[in-house]
Amino acid sequence: MSQGVGTGPRGSEQPLNEAYDTALLDLDGVVYAGGKAIAHAVPSLERARAGGMHLAYVTNNALRTPQAVAEHLTELGIPAGADDVITSAQAVARLIAEQVPAGSRVLVIGGEGLRVALRERGLVPVESADDDPAAVVQGYGGMELPWGRFAEASYAVRRGVPWFASNTDLTIPSGRGIAPGNGAAVEVVRIATGKEPQVAGKPLPPMHRETILRTGARRPLVVGDRLDTDIEGAFNGGVDSLLVLTGVTDGARLLAASPEHRPTYVDADLRGLLTSQPEITREGDGFRCGGWTATAGADRLELAGDGESLDGLRALCAAAWTAAGDGSSELDGDKALARLGL
């Protein structure tokens, strides 16, 4: 099943956990935030797994090892093994291994997840630009990563050593709010060197390839909270996606989404995996979803109805995206969102 470019959300008569064989789940902002399970995540995943859906956890966060992530999920009540976890560290390690000789030294700017992934590919992690590395790899290193690590990366990159990044997410959800992500750290080295890294993580093809290779998914559904990584990654891979509104994306950002950032399905949280999804149909000059209708006027969106708010949001998106065409609409969605409480 592939997502049509720019079509917006669509319906599914079957519950999603029956329509797809594998859920490729983002972690931060979808399953947990700040280390704690997001509401409804644990029972929803338990039911999806019991119904036969394979659950794979796909994260751009390269800090922790797959084993550590699996242990954390198990502690939260979501049984998982290391083989159920795919990280951007694994994707970038494969990318490096394809370009440097086996046994090469790689300067690591990040956490243990990167080191384990490199060793899995027969590469040797080192800590200094003076260790004659064949590559530099940069991944999220946590809040305590010393500033001097960025200088070490810069020394090597300016000497001409190939530079790789696990991902370029500018932010990362935490229990206290939104914090700087690996993309912010990559910017530091980019400013210091004027160079550009090769990037492996979502939404780019190396991460999608790593995920499919490790899961063997035939009918995958990407589940995420970020338009610019999860949803764009699904778009680039030609697979369907479910956006949950438990992380960084809100209704306003969704309404303004460009074609490559438009999910197949939208739901409040992971309970959306267990349900069918309402159809969005044309009605006159607008669109109907559930008890809501939405139309796009010359300078604003019009919304009417008495159904569920998410049905209204889906109808609004269909109207706005059809009117915008290329996603550059000047329509005023704020008033419509206010009527939805979003």
Side-chain angles (χ1 to χ4, degrees):
M1 300 181 182
S2 62
Q3 178 175 309
V5 176
T7 59
R10 67 167 184 261
S12 173
E13 293 184 0
Q14 290 180 285
L16 297 185
N17 65 311
E18 297 176 8
Y20 299 89
D21 67 350
T22 306
L24 307 179
L25 295 133
D26 184 45
L27 289 171
D28 291 308
V30 175
V31 178
Y32 54 64
K36 297 182 180 179
I38 288 173
H40 310 295
V42 174
S44 297
L45 293 174
E46 181 179 13
R47 286 182 57 193
R49 184 177 58 253
M53 190 179 217
H54 178 207
L55 305 181
Y57 303 94
V58 185
T59 177
N60 262 1
N61 190 330
L63 177 61
R64 293 190 293 172
T65 66
Q67 183 61 45
V69 173
E71 289 173 359
H72 180 204
L73 289 169
T74 301
E75 289 172 359
L76 294 177
I78 306 168
D83 290 345
D84 297 319
V85 179
I86 302 93
T87 73
S88 62
Q90 293 171 321
V92 77
R94 187 186 296 270
L95 190 62
I96 295 168
E98 292 171 345
Q99 299 183 40
V100 304
S104 293
R105 298 178 179 183
V106 179
L107 173 59
V108 176
I109 312 300
E112 185 62 17
L114 278 175
R115 294 177 178 84
V116 169
L118 290 169
R119 294 188 189 104
E120 183 183 47
R121 292 287 158 207
L123 301 169
V124 180
V126 297
E127 302 300 317
S128 171
D130 297 332
D131 288 331
D132 194 27
V136 178
V137 64
Q138 188 170 359
Y140 183 66
M143 298 297 183
E144 306 304 321
L145 187 69
W147 186 258
R149 302 306 297 155
F150 305 140
E152 209 65 42
S154 299
Y155 300 148
V157 172
R158 289 184 68 88
R159 294 172 188 172
V161 177
W163 177 29
F164 298 80
S166 63
N167 67 296
T168 52
D169 298 33
L170 290 173
T171 61
I172 187 169
S174 77
R176 296 175 60 194
I178 302 300
N182 191 55
V186 167
E187 284 299 312
V188 173
V189 178
R190 180 185 283 120
I191 291 168
T193 64
K195 304 292 186 180
E196 294 289 335
Q198 294 185 52
V199 183
K202 296 180 285 186
L204 298 174
M207 189 66 176
H208 182 73
R209 179 180 59 158
E210 190 73 21
T211 300
I212 297 302
L213 285 173
R214 288 180 179 266
T215 64
R218 301 293 297 274
R219 290 177 289 113
L221 177 69
V222 170
V223 184
D225 69 309
R226 299 184 71 105
L227 301 178
D228 60 347
T229 55
D230 305 313
I231 305 307
E232 185 177 341
F235 180 92
N236 289 340
V239 300
D240 289 347
S241 59
L242 167 65
L243 176 76
V244 292
L245 302 178
T246 49
V248 301
T249 300
D250 57 17
R253 289 186 177 91
L254 178 60
L255 267 179
S258 55
E260 68 274 14
H261 291 166
R262 297 172 184 173
T264 315
Y265 312 106
V266 180
D267 221 307
D269 51 55
L270 284 177
R271 288 176 294 181
L273 273 179
L274 307 172
T275 64
S276 58
Q277 295 290 317
E279 291 287 343
I280 301 168
T281 58
R282 277 193 175 274
E283 183 168 286
D285 294 331
F287 293 85
R288 170 174 286 277
C289 184
W292 292 88
T293 57
T295 56
D299 60 358
R300 61 178 294 169
L301 298 173
E302 299 289 345
L303 181 69
D306 57 3
E308 293 293 328
S309 62
L310 275 175
D311 290 346
L313 179 58
R314 295 178 183 110
L316 274 174
C317 287
W321 295 344
T322 299
D326 63 356
S328 60
S329 175
E330 297 297 328
L331 294 170
D332 179 8
D334 291 341
K335 293 179 182 178
L337 286 171
R339 293 182 62 180
L340 285 172
L342 294 171

